[in-house]
Each structure stands twice: as structure tokens, then as C-alpha cells.
Amino acid sequence: MTEKNPRKYSQAVVDGVEKAPGRAMLRAVGFQDRDFDRPQVGIASTWSMVTPCNMHIDRLAESVTAAVDRAHGKGVIYNTITVSDGISMGTEGMKYSLVSREVIADSIETVSGCMGHDGIITIGGCDKNMPGCLIGMARLNRPSLFIYGGTIQPGKNHTDIISVFEAVGGHARGTVSDIQLREIEETAIPGAGSCGGMYTANTMASAIEALGMSLPNSSAQEAISREKLDDCQRAGAAIMQLIASDIKPSDIMTRPAFENAIRVVIALGGSTNAVLHLLAMAHAIGVELTLEDFTRIGKSTPVLADLRPSGKYLMSELIEIGGIQPLMKSLLDRGLLDGSCLTVTGRTLAENLQDVPPYPDGQDIIYPFDKPIKKDSHLVVLKGNLAPEGAVAKITGKEGLRFTGTARVFHSEEESLKGILDGTVVAGEVIVIRYEGPKGAPGMREMLSPTSAIMGKGLGKDVALITDGRFSGGSHGFVVGHVTPEAIEGGPIAVVQNGDRITIDAETSELTLQLDEAEIQARLARWQRPAPRYTRGVLAKYANTVSSASEGAVTDKYLRNL
């Protein structure tokens, strides 16, 4: 690409006599004469002390700023929010989690758009701030890159946050004592970094790297490591090259790049949240992506990684054998990735992977292609009379491929958790949790507490769960989320009754309520929409603007029609 104006946006803020007041204010925050002639790079930090995932990111942001300055730019740190799914899980507060993705995207767009930043670096370390960062950068479409905050180290006895959630279920079952629960609680989270399995944070970090929006290996570094600091240093030089060449997110976040990201997520056995977030990220950059694309790509993409929650290894152990780069190289060599896609290095994906060595002999974290964990995707898009617009299941095959049972209906996550722990839920049932969708909750809470309780109670192979809410990347078992239309919109899930027969079939991709259509329609005719749970504030605004989960649960889907 030819050299472009490196100060395309900042010159409107700082150049000329009439901009003296702005320069005066910038001098007060540390600008010197030379800085006004340099490209400005907004560095969006998600630092916060509300969660270990992000508690170290202030130090990473400072390292990035210094690297940008050494590369003859001017780094400007600003903060955006983060919330903790793990801490708020199972509470009313969890309704703000998916909402925070939109708040983060809005705030990045607002700050860098207002301040005339010529480039943007975002640093995220937890589930929603990562896609939020990408959505914000995509909307502005200025030279940008993402830095992953990094994964946490394993806790004592190879534990992590999911170990704690499942120990709660074990405690209810009587297999985990008070002392054992306390020990797991005290030792499972040893410090800074994102949750340690292939849960949503590590899934999205891997997807973003495969998409081309972070530097090679950014997804596979521990939060507290020399490698993560090196990643920050390399980012300073990389963003200046992106600005000089005017390489924007729209040049990188193309449809083939999204297909690359989907394949890598599947090969890693990643979170169902990746479906929701990749749809939203594609919408932000103007790429057409649908649930059907996940089905199509999934038919030819195997699950290869034996990673938690359904496997046994943690992200830190994948890092030790080379991270995701050797996996991507193998996918590329088999024609499963598009190597022509541009990345934030300024090179193509194929060029980035050219000299990547294979995994070491003897490792058993990544399975060979001829002996996969599952021959096709674990992310199964289901349709049927219970989910006319689609639902997303996470089926690794370990829990079976088909389940039929009688419905046990709950109108909230709290009700379901109580029913699981007190023995109301029994083997052979399909737990139905409704009014937890994007509009109905509002906020589409993750169902980690119920799914972990199921596992802890020893019911993992004996019950299934469906919901118009969603699941944590740490959830596993026979679980189906994102059921659309959601209950609050009059979807069929709203009229399921206790004792109804439900079949989940991952082979035929169907979610079926075993009633004739006339009975379903009669029930829907009698159904009355519940009053909204919130009528003021951010949750009310979200409920009134959010789209269906099958469209990524975005808040600007319909604005183009105004």
C-alpha cells in the first residue's frame, strides 16, 4: 500500500491557530511540541480491580504507550469499563454482562471518535470487553489492533474457576465437604489473567488472532509473563505501520477472515458465545454472517483440542506446546484456512504462519486430524418447532448426540438453580429456563451456575438444559442456548409445560417439542406477554434496542431503517 496521511484525524484537533485551546489542554496531560506532529494512538484500557481478568492491564497499557512513543507516535491512554461474569454469575447483576459489550463498544467509539485518534489499540482480558473492543474499532474503521490481556495460571491441583462452580454442586450432592470447598475457593484463582480453560475469554482471544486483528501469539500468552510484555512492545511498532499504510479493520475483518476465525474456534472446542460475538463483530464491520455459516463451516471442521471445560487441559498447557499457531498452520496446510487474508502485521495469514513449527512429538492436547475428538463441529445450530429461528448447542459427543426427556420448566435462572440443588430436577428431564433472552431478562444471562450444579450433582449425562439465555464458555453437558424467538417475544419456548416431551438431536440439528402444531398454536394464542422487568435505565434501553440472539444481540441492527 502507498504511504497515507498518518495524521488523518488528529490534525483536525490540533493543527492551526484556532486549535490553540485544544493544544493547551493537551499540554496539561503531557503533550510536548513534538507530539502535535505525531500520529495519536488511542489506547483503550479495560483495567479494573473488579476482576482478576483485568487487574494487570494498567501495566500493559503503560508498556504499550511507551512502545508507541518509541515508534514516533503519541500514545494516549483512556479507560473503558469491564464487569465480571464469574463474580456476578447467578445474580441479577449478571444481566449487565452482555449489556457491557455494547457500553464498551460505544465508549471506545465515543472517545477515539471525539479525540481524533489516528489509530487505536485496545487491551481486553474478559469475556465481553474483547468483542466490545473489536466492535468499537470496527465502527470507527481506523488503523487498529487488539491485545489480549492473557490467561491466568492454573490454581492448586490443576483447578480453575469452573472447579469452584462445580464444587458447589458437589457440596449439594454431599461429595465435597465444607473444608474441601473452602480450599478450592481459596486456591483456584492464583492471580491476574482470564479464566484458564477454553472458555469465552480464551476462545475470543483465539478467534481475534485468527481473524487477523491481533499479533501472532497474542492469544497464547500468560497474563503475567515476559511474552505478554513483548506483545505490548511489538504492538507499538505495528500500529504505526498500520497508520502509515492506512490498513483499517475493514481491510482485515473480511468474510474469509471471519470464516478463518470460526474454523479455529471449532478446532479448539470453543465457547458458544463465539457465535453471538462473531455475528455482532461482523455486523459492526458490515460483513454478512449468519447462523447457517457456522453450520456450513462446521461440517468440514473437526474438534481437535482436548481443553476444558469438556477436556482436561488448561490454556497455560497449550501455551507450553506453542499456542494456537501450529494448529492454524495445520488448518492452513489442509486448505481449511484462507491464507490470503491480511492481518495487523501488514502481512497475510499465510506469511505469518510460514515458519511456524509443528507441535512437539508426544503431546496429547491437540489431536491429529485422522483421530479427532469430533469429526465435525461441536457448535451445532438447531432448528425445529421449539426454535424456528435457531438455537446453539455445544455438543462435543462426550454427552451423546441425542436426548429425549420430559420438560421441567423454570421462569428464571434462580428458580432453576434452586430446583437442581434441592433435588426437584431428576434424571431424564430437560430443564427449560425461559425469559432469560436478550429482551426478556433483559441481558441474556449465562447459565454457568445451573450447568455447573448439574455436573456437581452427577447429572451431567442424565439431564439436558435448554434456554433462551446463553452459556458461559465454562459450561458443558447436553446444553442448548440462544433459543429464538425468545420467550418474551412469544417464541414456542414460552408455552412449554412441565411434562412435555422434548427431543434434542445433534445429528439432524433439530430441537423438537413433541406436540402437534395445532396445540402449540392454541397455547401461543392464550399466552400473554409479561410486563417488562425494567422500565428505566440501561437495562430498559437495552431491551428496547437489542436484536435477536440469532442476529448477534446487537443494539444498532434496525437503525439503518430509520
Side-chain angles (χ1 to χ4, degrees), residues 403-404 426-430 454 458-464:
F403 191 100
T404 295
V426 297
E429 292 187 330
V430 178
I454 288 168
L459 292 170
K461 295 184 178 180
D462 300 317
V463 302

Side-chain angles (χ1 to χ4, degrees), residues 502-516:
I502 294 173
T503 295
I504 306 163
D505 194 323
E507 292 186 306
T508 63
S509 300
E510 291 179 303
L511 179 59
T512 306
L513 177 61
Q514 294 183 13
L515 295 175
D516 61 48

Side-chain angles (χ1 to χ4, degrees), residues 15 43 95 199 221 294 325 440 507:
D15 285 9
I43 299 167
K95 293 181 178 180
Y199 312 141
Q221 296 157 345
F294 287 83
Q325 289 274 297
E507 292 186 306

Side-chain angles (χ1 to χ4, degrees), residues 313-333:
Y313 289 104
L314 292 167
M315 188 67 183
S316 58
E317 292 162 308
L318 180 60
I319 290 170
E320 289 177 2
I321 64 168
I324 73 167
Q325 289 274 297
L327 173 63
M328 290 173 62
K329 180 67 160 54
S330 295
L331 291 167
L332 178 67
D333 290 344

